[in-house]
Structures are given as structure tokens and as C-alpha cells.
Amino acid sequence: MRPFLPDDQPHPFRPTVQDVAGECGDPGTVADLAVCLGGRGPKPRNRVTRAAAGEGRQALLDEILPVLVDTGIEDEMVGGLLRNSIGMERLRAAVAQGTGRLPRDNGHLAMLDNSYSYLRQFTPDVLKAISFTGGTGSEGFMEAVAILKKLNADRARKVPDQAPTDFVPAKWAGYLEQAARDRDVTAYRHFWELTVLLSLRDRLRSGDVYVPSSRRYADPASYLFTPEQWEGQREQFCQLVGKPTDARLALEGCREELAAAMGDLEKVLGNRKASTGEVRTSRTSTRRSARRSSW
């Protein structure tokens, strides 16, 4: 058990872009980080077009659904009724306006790709100006960051075949897979680079990646007591929270409390109605559980 340092120390999971940029000695990096890690940039125009087309198809669906759910209409009459009431012209127009289903991320990465050229005005300089360090388990991702830095330095366009992709979330993996199937080197580079930048932003926020020269983006472990500091405050802290100073005794107490809470849960679940699944509980058991969980 290693508590956080007192309140005068900064919180590791609430960093600001300005702090990192300012401490790296380049004031211009403030805007760069805000753009490339904050997701700001020109707004894509296809969003309005897709919304307008979707509104028309939604209006058509509102006319179709009442007919489909009306059990008074015979099944063999539904098709003819819809074609006559709506008209084949509107139906054909709706089919022609189909834009395909959105990917798993609802098109977020594709929207960012529309701003790729704009982002490239900033991201190479940001990666060059700031040194990032990965925490435990970030080796593959940090290799991807190093490859992207080298691509920028060499002005290369093709992502190496051995470039890691295991850090890419499932919601974005489809973009890379489609670009690889199409053998589209440019699209693959765009989406791979964007996933690296977005992952870098998220890992900076979570502390999985940190900036050694930064105060707020520092290694999260640096905000905790060292073993020597904790040893001098262990007794006072444990006395305040009513816990034993021996970690083994504290863990044993937690196991007993967990076992008691699970026993109460089993009783509550055993009182549920078989037909509806409704749980019947009493004020007494509720208060007892609340007291146990309030330590």
C-alpha cells in the first residue's frame, strides 16, 4: 500500500497540454499538441451530406414500419401496399442514396483522415520535440512511435511490413485490414499514423506513456511515496484509517469482509421471486451491508 503524496503534488491523470509543451521549451508546441493530441482541426463536410441523406431514409422508414407492425394487414398485401402508397420512385431513390454502414467507430477515424494533411503540419514537429517513455507493457507501442518518428525524419511514405499493430483497438483495426487488402499503401500509412497518434494521446492521459521532462506528464510512480517515505508514515496512516500495519493481517480482514458480503448477496438472491426475478430485501440487511462497505 503506497498512498499518494500530499495535495501539493500534481495529479498524474489530469495533465494539460500547455504544461507539457511549456516544459519542453518550445512555446509553439502548445498549439501543436492541442491539435494533434486533442483532435482539433478542420471539420469534414461529408457529415452534413450523410445526415441529410439519412434524414430522408428515416422519414421513409417511419412510413414503412406502421404497415409492417399492423397485424390486420395480410402478409401478401404488405408489399403491394407499400409500393402503391410510397411509390416506386421514392423507394428507388432511397436505395440509390445508400451510403453503406458505418464502421465500428462510427467513422471517427475516417473523419480524422479528412484532416490528415492539416494534422501533418504539426505532428512531425511534436514527435520530434518531445521524448516519450512507455511504461510496463508498452514496448510494442513505443516501437510504433519510434518507427513513425523515423518515417517523418526520412520523409518515407510506406509503413514497414514489420511495423507493430497489436496496439490498435478493434474499432480501428478494420481500416488497416481494408487498406492492406486493397494494397493501398497511402491509406494504410494514413490510418496507421492516426492510430499511433490517437493511442499516444490516450496513453498520455492514462499514464501508460509519460514524458520524463514534464511535471504533469511524469511517470505516475513518481507521485507515490517511496518505500522509505512510506515506512516513516505507515503507523500514523494505518491508525487514522483503522487498519493494521501488517499487510497480511489487512488482507485477511478484507477477505473476511468479502466473504460476509458475498454471504449477504447469496441470501438476497435467494429471496428473489422465481417468476419475475424481483429481489425482496429488508432494511436490516441493507443497513448491515452498508455498514460493512463503509470502512
Side-chain angles (χ1 to χ4, degrees):
M1 183 162 52
R2 300 174 64 194
F4 281 109
L5 289 171
D7 293 338
D8 58 340
Q9 294 294 330
H11 195 292
F13 304 115
R14 293 184 181 176
T16 63
V17 168
Q18 289 80 1
D19 289 322
V20 176
E23 291 162 6
C24 288
D26 181 8
T29 313
V30 176
D32 301 346
L33 274 173
V35 172
C36 69
L37 300 183
R40 299 176 183 176
K43 303 297 182 182
R45 299 179 180 179
N46 60 351
R47 187 187 304 177
V48 176
T49 303
R50 185 181 181 91
E55 189 66 25
R57 292 165 68 88
Q58 180 64 45
L60 186 62
L61 184 63
D62 291 341
E63 296 182 40
I64 293 175
L65 288 178
V67 177
L68 294 179
V69 300
D70 189 347
T71 57
I73 302 176
E74 299 293 335
D75 292 346
E76 58 272 14
M77 298 177 59
V78 171
L81 181 61
L82 289 175
R83 295 189 190 97
N84 292 330
S85 61
I86 297 176
M88 291 300 296
E89 183 177 351
R90 282 187 64 196
L91 291 173
R92 291 193 182 99
V95 172
Q97 290 177 353
T99 56
R101 303 296 296 272
L102 288 172
R104 295 182 64 173
D105 70 337
N106 293 322
H108 177 230
L109 198 63
M111 290 169 56
L112 283 179
D113 186 44
N114 292 332
S115 303
Y116 179 80
S117 298
Y118 180 77
L119 295 175
R120 285 287 300 172
Q121 299 177 34
F122 308 97
T123 54
D125 293 334
V126 172
L127 295 178
K128 182 179 179 181
I130 302 176
S131 296
F132 301 98
T133 302
T136 304
S138 298
E139 294 80 10
F141 174 71
M142 295 311 299
E143 181 184 354
V145 174
I147 291 175
L148 180 55
K149 286 186 176 183
K150 190 174 188 307
L151 289 174
N152 292 335
D154 297 344
R155 298 184 180 275
R157 296 186 177 182
K158 185 179 184 299
V159 178
D161 295 335
Q162 73 276 13
T165 58
D166 55 345
F167 66 90
V168 178
K171 63 181 179 180
W172 296 333
Y175 292 95
L176 298 178
E177 294 169 358
Q178 184 63 48
R181 284 194 298 267
D182 296 341
R183 298 181 181 276
D184 191 336
V185 175
T186 301
Y188 192 92
R189 164 62 187 272
H190 284 201
F191 291 129
W192 184 83
E193 181 174 351
L194 289 172
T195 57
V196 172
L197 294 172
L198 291 172
S199 297
L200 178 60
R201 177 200 63 186
D202 296 339
R203 289 169 185 257
L204 279 170
R205 290 174 175 175
S206 67
D208 291 336
V209 174
Y210 57 91
V211 181
S213 59
S214 171
R215 183 172 65 92
R216 291 186 180 272
Y217 276 110
D219 182 358
S222 65
Y223 297 96
L224 303 176
F225 283 132
T226 64
E228 294 76 16
Q229 290 173 319
W230 170 235
E231 191 61 35
Q233 302 193 38
R234 179 203 300 267
E235 185 174 352
Q236 180 183 4
F237 178 83
C238 292
Q239 184 178 2
L240 288 174
V241 298
K243 293 296 176 182
T245 57
D246 190 327
R248 291 172 296 181
L249 295 178
L251 287 175
E252 185 60 32
C254 290
R255 293 191 186 97
E256 294 176 359
E257 292 184 13
L258 176 61
M262 293 301 294
D264 287 347
L265 178 61
E266 290 293 338
K267 293 178 183 178
V268 172
L269 293 178
N271 290 333
R272 70 180 185 274
K273 295 180 181 178
S275 58
T276 63
E278 180 182 349
V279 176
R280 298 192 302 272
T281 183
S282 65
R283 291 185 178 180
T284 303
S285 63
T286 301
R287 289 171 181 169
R288 184 169 61 251
S289 299
R291 285 197 300 269
R292 284 199 179 102
S293 61
S294 63
W295 68 271

